[in-house]
Amino acid sequence: MRIRPHEDIVTVPRTAIGNRLLAALPPADLGLLTPHFQKVSFEPDAVLVRSGDELDPVYFPHSGAIAFMLDMPDGQTAATTLMGREGALASFSVLGPSLSSVTAVARIAGTASLISAAKFRAAYAQSAAIRNVVQVHARAVLLQLQHVAACNALHRVDGRMARWLLQLHDRVPDDLLPVTQEVLAQLVGVRRTTVTLTMSKLREAGAIPSERRGFVEIHRARLERIACDCYKLMQRKIDRMYCQELAPPQSADTPFRESTIAASDGAGGESKAVSRAGR
């Protein structure tokens, strides 16, 4: 993966920071990170971290959705976690240089601020506030992993499909999700034919008013009634954890450097340019 920095520097008001972890940091602690940030954007299917790669750099998403995919020995993959603006990809690098056990793939296009793992570890060592947000985030990721594992073992496909769609919707500004049936098959861990049948059931229930190539429109209230209890339980616990343990944002200015990022498309290992973050 290559990063091509852009020379322009833009200043973004702290209140406009999309990432929930960064927004919770006091200005002085955030100031340990911002001089080293680069603003990047990623397109759907961009591979941000590949299984076996070193966890470097650290991404703080401001928008979009990133799925953690576990590669199985038989060539199949299974989604374990979905991350958006509430998280930080590769934040566990604070424990020291290590290799990723999962492949992180962008499922919804978005933007992020990235920082090298070495710079992030240095800031982590200096700031109790940064250590706190990493610890809160780590517990949230562990909670999601536990719920997804139990959900995959115990619940029906339609309930699990509804849960994944709701999780994607939490990270998209409208009811039209830019997601394909192939991506849903990878998230739910089923064949495309099963996705087709399940989507048909969801349409009959009115939870999916329409579907066209590359997009799924959802009716959230009806989808929530179909989703298994895991979704509400998981989100309630995570929201409570964040609200109780993360400080509210304070005003300050934070500089971000614009750039583009080229990421492997995950299919043939070829690189593709990901659009410049300028929105």
Side-chain angles (χ1 to χ4, degrees):
M1 180 161 46
R2 294 181 296 108
I3 297 175
R4 299 196 298 273
H6 195 271
E7 293 182 355
D8 295 339
I9 301 292
V10 295
T11 300
V12 179
R14 193 175 189 282
T15 53
I17 295 177
N19 184 272
R20 195 168 179 182
L21 299 180
L22 295 181
L25 292 174
D29 300 85
L30 183 62
L32 297 173
L33 302 173
T34 52
H36 311 293
F37 274 151
Q38 285 186 303
K39 185 78 173 289
V40 299
S41 64
F42 47 84
E43 297 297 331
D45 299 326
V47 177
L48 304 183
V49 178
R50 194 176 295 280
S51 178
D53 285 354
E54 185 176 352
L55 289 172
D56 190 9
V58 180
Y59 293 80
F60 288 88
H62 298 276
S63 60
I66 301 166
F68 290 4
M69 309 299 296
L70 185 64
D71 302 320
M72 305 302 289
D74 61 0
Q76 295 184 341
T77 60
T80 61
T81 316
L82 197 66
M83 179 183 293
R85 59 180 292 271
E86 80 288 347
L89 174 61
S91 62
F92 297 163
S93 62
V94 294
L95 301 176
S98 58
L99 304 182
S100 177
S101 59
V102 297
T103 296
V105 184
R107 290 310 182 197
I108 304 289
T111 61
S113 293
L114 65 81
I115 182 173
S116 73
K119 296 291 186 183
F120 186 58
R121 282 195 293 270
Y124 177 89
Q126 296 179 59
S127 167
I130 293 176
R131 292 194 294 274
N132 179 62
V133 299
V134 171
Q135 291 165 10
V136 172
H137 173 52
R139 292 201 301 276
V141 171
L142 178 60
L143 189 152
Q144 188 177 164
L145 288 170
Q146 292 170 334
H147 275 279
V148 170
C151 184
N152 288 343
L154 300 175
H155 295 147
R156 301 185 338 179
V157 173
D158 56 348
R160 288 156 47 201
M161 175 83 74
R163 172 177 59 78
W164 281 114
L165 287 170
L166 288 169
Q167 287 184 266
L168 288 170
H169 186 237
D170 288 340
R171 296 163 174 87
V172 175
D174 55 46
D175 294 337
L176 194 63
L177 306 183
V179 62
T180 65
Q181 286 201 6
E182 181 179 358
V183 167
L184 289 174
Q186 294 174 351
L187 289 175
V188 183
V190 295
R191 297 180 183 274
R192 280 284 301 275
T193 52
T194 303
V195 171
T196 301
L197 292 172
T198 305
M199 295 291 278
S200 178
K201 292 180 180 178
L202 294 179
R203 277 196 300 274
E204 291 175 2
I208 297 180
S210 67
E211 180 188 4
R212 61 179 185 268
R213 186 175 181 84
F215 291 91
V216 175
E217 182 186 5
I218 70 163
H219 187 294
R220 185 172 180 98
R222 293 172 183 170
L223 202 60
E224 287 180 343
R225 289 196 289 268
I226 296 172
C228 56
D229 293 337
C230 291
Y231 172 74
K232 288 185 178 180
L233 182 61
M234 178 172 61
Q235 292 307 120
R236 188 181 304 121
K237 288 181 177 179
I238 292 175
D239 286 345
R240 182 184 303 119
M241 185 186 304
Y242 271 60
C243 289
Q244 291 178 349
E245 301 183 41
L246 294 184
Q250 302 174 32
S251 61
D253 288 336
T254 54
F256 292 104
R257 184 184 300 274
E258 283 193 289
S259 69
T260 58
I261 181 170
S264 168
D265 62 7
E270 298 178 355
S271 292
K272 68 176 181 180
V274 181
S275 63
R276 180 175 300 146
R279 45 193 180 185

